[in-house]
Amino acid sequence: MDEEERQRDKLPPILCATSAASGGMDRGAKGQFSTFSNFISTINQKKEAAGNRNSPTQMVLPNNKNVRDLPPICLDVRQKQCISIDTLPPEMKASILPEPQIPTRNKTLKDFQVDLEKAKSTGEWRTIHDFYLTTFDSFLELNAAFKRDVSSFVNTIEDSRINTKFLNAVYDTLLTTSQDIQKTVLKGIINSLLREWKGPRTKDDIRAYFILTQNPQFSSTSTYVIYAHLLRQIATLSDTDNHFLIHWFKKMSQKRFKQLVDRLLQFISLRLFPAKPEEFPPLAKCTWWIPSATKVLALLNAANTLSNPPLIPYTDFYNSTLDHIDLMEEYQTWQFYGNSHRFSFCQFPFIISIAAKKVIIQKDSEQQMISIARQSLVDKVSRRQKPDMNMLFLNIKVRRLQLVSDSLDELTRKRADLKKKLKVTFMGEAGLDMGGLTKEWFLLLIRQIFHPDYGMFTYHKDSNCHWFSSFKCDNYSEFRLVGTLMGLAVYNSITLDIRFPPCCYKKLLSPPIVPCDQNMPVGIAPVTLDDLYQIMPELAHGLNELLCYDGNVEEDFYSTFQVFQEEFGTIKSYNLKPGGDKIPVTNQNRKEYVQLYVDFLLNKSIYKQFSAFYYGFHSVCASNALMLLRPEEVEILVCGSPELDMHALQRSTQYDGYLKTDVTVRYFWDVVLGFPLELQKKLLHFATGSDRVPVGGMADLNFKISKSETPSNWLPIAHTCFNQLCLPPYKTKKELKQKLTIAISNAEGFGLQ
């Protein structure tokens, strides 16, 4: 008997769960599997006997005192969250590992279905039991059962060569079989995982891992010990092996892919907060469980990102359980250790919800505010000057009639104080800023800057968004002001009513941390025709027509690699490449032309404007926390979420002069909940200055309905600075609906009239 057989003999017997089954092959009632209490120790003994070959998933604290440095800021953390598949050299991507001889198995899906129907009708499950026993006995048998054309050799990455319909049928049936059959499958998986690996994994090994990850039995906590060891082995695979898995994952159906993601998220959640702690080994003895699961989840996230369109929304990777852990400890661990062997969820930001990221950013901001304020206080005391409370704040004093120029002067003069708590004073007006004046300052300033007559931004009606004007000017400081305003809004948790396309936020994170080298370009992001569609859909459609044109492009369009723009009444020309005015656009080079044109419009023509905007934003929000964010998440932090939940708003609304049981209030909510979405957005915009919701949801709006002591023939009014709606005591629902609809449909701008 060899060593492997001796180790397998040490496996604990698979204890029978409570079941109605009465015989090895008889069909039994469904039940939970018993926990394999000794399995983990058996695995660990085997690992130790093999020398414990420096498993990279063991979370060993590095002794190196210089690990404080974060990874190079030129790399996005999202690209480092496990695999950088696009940077693999061609020889790695094309590498096909040698495959051993696979046993011949001739059973088809139809044969399996016939055997299954026969077992159901006769009660004799021997054939089905033997099939599962053989199939899951080893990695080779898994390939023999589910691999298409086992004898052929196909050099491809995209195709896993798995008979997906057969595999799905086998797994769907598994959960309906007796406990004996289900435990037979698990024992086979245990034997496969105990195999001693010598040399690199073959492609058939990777295929077997891919098959096993889809096993629905791993949704049960009683199988988590086995599942953890499967995840651990996958997490230690090489980048080349991961490359195969990623491409196979992205070929899965949306339903199966979502099941895999949910299973891993549940595994992480229940390991963090187990309902029955006695079900699992002590956390101290299996610290590798969560890192392994998170690394495998990173493969699925990479697959989802590669898919166009994504298989599932990026928000489906959020694990809301993480909202309840010490996020700042996770963040500080990542800050200190970077992407070294010390695990932190911040290494895998796709799993952290936007609400959790906001908490990290807010607390990081608060710590920076406190640090700056403390330093100001120390400086005052050291110079023997009397401390003043105003030194703890960023105090902005402006005149309403010179709002933009005063704001620009104040923010430029007080650049060192940008990370202090913001307070605004309108000169010549009495009033203490408790948040209302700050919000009014933002609303008025944004309204004025984005006005078409101001010329800084162009409004595109087709896409309902603003874009940077490409007009050249001598001073781009006002673009820096807009960036600073956005940064201050995020820093001070204020939602702005700004309509930038998603492309803007992608550029804002390019790179996410301001480079030390000031000659390095910033705000340059890879852009596509899809990005242009979100800003100028008509132009993007025309360029797409050019790409799809069947005729002779050169003769019919007579275009060159040159574009024309009107600037202050003068038509100016720009070459898209050197000598572009002499290079005709042809069928062969039209793709290059379209790409250069899009890059010119969204990057090169507005570079100076956007770089000033970029530096303004990062002058306030300079933080490694930005590396955790996707462009879509930056947009939500700045502008809020477009998802409205008016029932949640009703639950969190405060009242002044009314009770929530008053007839006018009941009429109001009957009307509002019956409004179409467009009118609900108008109401929110009328009352708060924005039709979007803060990251924390409707409760964060602090929405208030106040009783207005005015005649009932008056319209409702709003104080947007305080998110307050003043509602006269209308006597009928019809009257309330009529007056409210008129008010919200005719409010101009930010509802400040």
Side-chain angles (χ1 to χ4, degrees):
M1 182 181 294
D2 60 20
E3 177 62 22
E4 182 172 343
E5 289 173 338
R6 283 195 297 271
Q7 289 291 346
R8 291 184 180 180
D9 287 341
K10 292 180 183 179
L11 282 172
I14 303 182
L15 304 177
C16 295
T18 303
S19 172
S22 61
M25 301 304 117
D26 292 338
R27 179 182 174 81
K30 300 178 192 177
Q32 292 292 315
F33 299 110
S34 59
T35 304
F36 297 94
S37 57
N38 295 323
F39 175 65
I40 187 170
S41 60
T42 306
I43 294 282
N44 289 337
Q45 289 170 9
K46 191 168 186 68
K47 293 291 182 185
E48 290 169 6
N52 209 1
R53 299 184 179 91
N54 295 325
S55 172
T57 56
Q58 290 181 333
M59 299 298 112
V60 180
L61 293 178
N63 294 323
N64 186 353
K65 295 182 179 179
N66 297 320
V67 295
R68 187 177 185 85
D69 293 336
L70 284 170
I73 57 177
C74 59
L75 292 177
D76 191 323
V77 71
R78 292 184 300 280
Q79 297 172 343
K80 302 193 293 288
Q81 49 198 12
C82 192
I83 322 82
S84 183
I85 54 178
D86 293 328
T87 59
L88 285 176
E91 61 271 18
M92 289 182 70
K93 291 184 180 181
S95 173
I96 303 297
L97 300 170
E99 303 187 13
Q101 189 66 34
I102 297 176
T104 302
R105 299 285 180 258
N106 298 318
K107 189 179 286 290
T108 63
L109 172 59
K110 186 174 181 180
D111 295 336
F112 177 76
Q113 291 171 335
V114 169
D115 291 343
L116 184 60
E117 290 302 318
K118 184 177 179 181
K120 289 179 179 179
S121 61
T122 64
E124 175 53 57
W125 290 80
R126 171 68 65 178
T127 303
I128 296 296
H129 177 275
D130 289 347
F131 169 77
Y132 279 105
L133 175 66
T134 303
T135 300
F136 288 89
D137 181 63
S138 68
F139 281 10
L140 284 180
E141 289 290 352
L142 283 170
N143 279 272
F146 299 117
K147 183 178 176 182
R148 302 190 314 268
D149 305 322
V150 295
S151 59
S152 65
F153 179 81
V154 182
N155 188 348
T156 178
I157 291 175
E158 297 289 333
D159 185 9
S160 66
R161 295 172 63 195
I162 289 174
N163 188 332
T164 303
K165 289 184 178 180
F166 190 14
L167 177 64
N168 292 341
V170 168
Y171 274 145
D172 290 343
T173 301
L174 177 59
L175 293 183
T176 67
T177 62
S178 69
Q179 292 297 298
D180 186 76
I181 292 176
Q182 295 188 47
K183 287 180 285 189
T184 297
V185 169
L186 291 173
K187 188 170 183 179
I189 295 173
I190 293 172
N191 291 335
S192 299
L193 296 178
L194 282 174
R195 171 187 168 188
E196 285 292 348
W197 295 103
K198 296 178 181 179
R201 305 288 200 272
T202 68
K203 193 175 178 183
D204 285 329
D205 295 330
I206 309 306
R207 189 177 292 108
Y209 283 130
F210 178 65
I211 292 170
L212 291 178
T213 58
Q214 301 175 58
N215 188 340
Q217 292 175 292
F218 293 136
S219 295
S220 170
T221 55
S222 59
T223 65
Y224 273 13
V225 174
I226 305 173
Y227 192 32
H229 282 271
L230 171 63
L231 297 175
R232 186 181 200 179
Q233 290 194 13
I234 296 174
T236 59
L237 293 173
S238 68
D239 281 355
T240 309
D241 298 336
N242 289 329
H243 188 65
F244 286 113
L245 283 175
I246 289 169
H247 281 273
W248 294 348
F249 281 137
K250 79 185 183 79
K251 292 295 183 181
M252 294 179 68
S253 70
Q254 183 187 48
K255 175 186 174 183
R256 305 280 174 177
F257 185 86
K258 182 72 163 59
Q259 288 173 346
L260 274 184
V261 172
D262 290 345
R263 193 175 297 137
L264 283 162
L265 290 174
Q266 175 184 287
F267 176 87
I268 293 170
S269 297
L270 292 178
R271 178 63 274 191
L272 283 171
F273 301 103
K276 298 178 180 178
E278 66 275 7
E279 283 189 314
F280 306 137
L283 188 58
K285 292 186 178 180
C286 51
T287 55
W288 47 270
W289 278 33
I290 289 175
S292 297
T294 308
K295 289 175 183 177
V296 175
L297 195 61
L299 297 177
L300 292 165
N301 180 63
N304 193 56
T305 303
L306 276 181
S307 300
N308 190 17
L311 290 168
I312 59 177
Y314 70 89
T315 53
D316 283 356
F317 284 89
Y318 287 166
N319 191 330
S320 57
T321 304
L322 304 186
D323 297 357
H324 306 287
I325 66 174
D326 189 340
L327 294 167
M328 286 311 292
E329 182 181 354
E330 290 289 321
Y331 178 65
Q332 288 159 2
T333 297
W334 175 62
Q335 289 254 82
F336 188 83
Y337 291 98
N339 281 3
S340 65
H341 291 296
R342 182 70 179 268
F343 173 80
S344 166
F345 282 112
C346 291
Q347 295 168 327
F348 306 89
F350 62 85
I351 198 176
I352 305 174
S353 71
I354 180 63
K357 288 173 183 172
K358 183 183 179 184
V359 170
I360 292 174
I361 290 171
Q362 281 183 330
K363 291 189 175 180
D364 187 49
S365 300
E366 289 169 4
Q367 289 176 359
Q368 292 187 47
M369 286 180 182
I370 292 170
S371 176
I372 295 291
R374 183 186 292 119
Q375 187 60 48
S376 297
L377 185 61
V378 170
D379 290 344
K380 279 274 188 182
V381 172
S382 65
R383 293 196 297 267
R384 297 186 178 182
Q385 296 175 346
K386 184 178 179 181
D388 181 3
M389 284 300 294
N390 285 327
M391 63 183 288
L392 303 178
F393 298 93
L394 168 60
N395 293 288
I396 301 295
K397 296 181 180 181
V398 293
R399 296 165 294 178
R400 287 186 183 270
L401 295 179
Q402 283 80 33
L403 190 64
V404 175
S405 59
D406 282 0
S407 299
L408 183 60
D409 290 343
E410 285 281 271
L411 292 175
T412 302
R413 196 160 46 86
K414 299 177 179 178
R415 189 172 295 178
D417 296 335
L418 291 178
K419 294 194 175 185
K420 295 179 181 179
K421 183 69 176 175
L422 176 62
K423 279 199 173 184
V424 175
T425 302
F426 287 96
M427 295 171 66
E429 301 179 18
L432 197 60
D433 187 9
M434 303 301 290
L437 293 178
T438 293
K439 185 174 180 184
E440 185 181 6
W441 176 68
F442 274 110
L443 292 174
L444 290 172
L445 199 52
I446 291 296
R447 181 186 185 188
Q448 189 167 331
I449 286 174
F450 281 83
H451 195 283
D453 293 343
Y454 210 72
M456 288 179 62
F457 298 94
T458 303
Y459 180 71
H460 296 272
K461 290 184 179 180
D462 292 344
S463 57
N464 188 31
C465 72
H466 288 92
W467 191 241
F468 295 77
S469 170
S470 59
F471 293 168
K472 304 295 184 290
C473 59
D474 297 329
N475 190 348
Y476 296 95
S477 58
E478 290 184 348
F479 286 99
R480 186 180 180 107
L481 170 63
V482 180
T484 304
L485 283 176
M486 275 183 53
L488 285 171
V490 172
Y491 206 65
N492 291 272
S493 301
I494 293 173
T495 301
L496 298 181
D497 186 32
I498 291 180
R499 292 290 186 271
F500 279 136
C503 168
C504 173
Y505 302 97
K506 180 163 63 173
K507 289 165 65 66
L508 205 54
L509 292 178
S510 300
I513 303 297
V514 178
C516 298
D517 183 1
Q518 294 190 352
N519 294 320
M520 181 178 175
V522 296
I524 300 291
V527 289
T528 66
L529 199 55
D530 289 338
D531 293 312
L532 188 62
Y533 261 112
Q534 294 169 342
I535 307 170
M536 310 170 196
E538 190 174 341
L539 175 58
H541 178 73
L543 292 173
N544 190 57
E545 289 290 310
L546 173 65
L547 293 175
C548 300
Y549 187 66
D550 292 332
N552 189 310
V553 170
E554 182 177 2
E555 293 181 358
D556 296 345
F557 285 85
Y558 200 67
S559 296
T560 63
F561 278 70
Q562 186 180 49
V563 294
F564 300 90
Q565 283 191 334
E566 181 182 348
E567 296 181 12
F568 302 108
T570 303
I571 302 297
K572 292 192 175 182
S573 61
Y574 297 92
N575 287 344
L576 297 179
K577 58 191 298 187
D581 57 324
K582 297 180 176 58
I583 303 174
V585 179
T586 66
N587 292 63
Q588 290 72 37
N589 65 17
R590 58 184 168 181
K591 284 186 179 179
E592 180 190 11
Y593 169 78
V594 169
Q595 182 55 46
L596 289 174
Y597 196 179
V598 171
D599 184 64
F600 173 79
L601 290 173
L602 304 187
N603 281 324
K604 292 180 180 176
S605 68
I606 60 163
Y607 177 74
K608 290 184 178 179
Q609 294 88 326
F610 197 91
S611 62
F613 174 77
Y614 172 95
Y615 282 116
F617 179 81
H618 287 273
S619 68
V620 185
C621 287
S623 167
N624 288 319
L626 285 181
M627 296 177 71
L628 305 178
L629 297 173
R630 296 172 57 96
E632 300 93 330
E633 293 170 330
V634 177
E635 180 180 11
I636 291 174
L637 285 175
V638 172
C639 308
S641 168
E643 302 296 327
L644 302 190
D645 183 352
M646 302 309 282
H647 290 282
L649 182 63
Q650 181 184 15
R651 289 191 297 271
S652 61
T653 296
Q654 305 166 35
Y655 299 95
D656 180 16
Y658 282 120
L659 298 175
K660 65 180 179 181
T661 55
D662 287 347
V663 64
T664 303
V665 172
R666 295 205 309 270
Y667 287 161
F668 175 81
W669 288 114
D670 286 346
V671 168
V672 169
L673 295 176
F675 271 161
L677 179 61
E678 194 58 37
L679 280 181
Q680 290 178 343
K681 286 186 174 183
K682 285 185 177 181
L683 169 65
L684 202 63
H685 194 281
F686 175 75
T688 70
S690 173
D691 62 5
R692 296 167 75 101
V693 184
V695 172
M698 289 293 196
D700 277 9
L701 279 176
N702 296 317
F703 181 60
K704 179 186 285 188
I705 296 178
S706 298
K707 189 173 185 177
S708 176
E709 300 297 341
T710 56
S712 60
N713 61 341
W714 283 40
L715 297 176
I717 61 173
H719 300 295
T720 53
C721 303
F722 300 100
N723 298 339
Q724 183 178 14
L725 178 68
C726 298
L727 196 64
Y730 299 113
K731 291 183 172 54
T732 67
K733 186 191 297 186
K734 181 179 180 181
E735 184 183 20
L736 186 148
K737 182 176 182 180
Q738 180 188 30
K739 293 290 194 293
L740 183 62
T741 303
I742 292 172
I744 65 177
S745 299
N746 294 278
E748 181 184 350
F750 291 92
L752 291 170
Q753 269 64 29

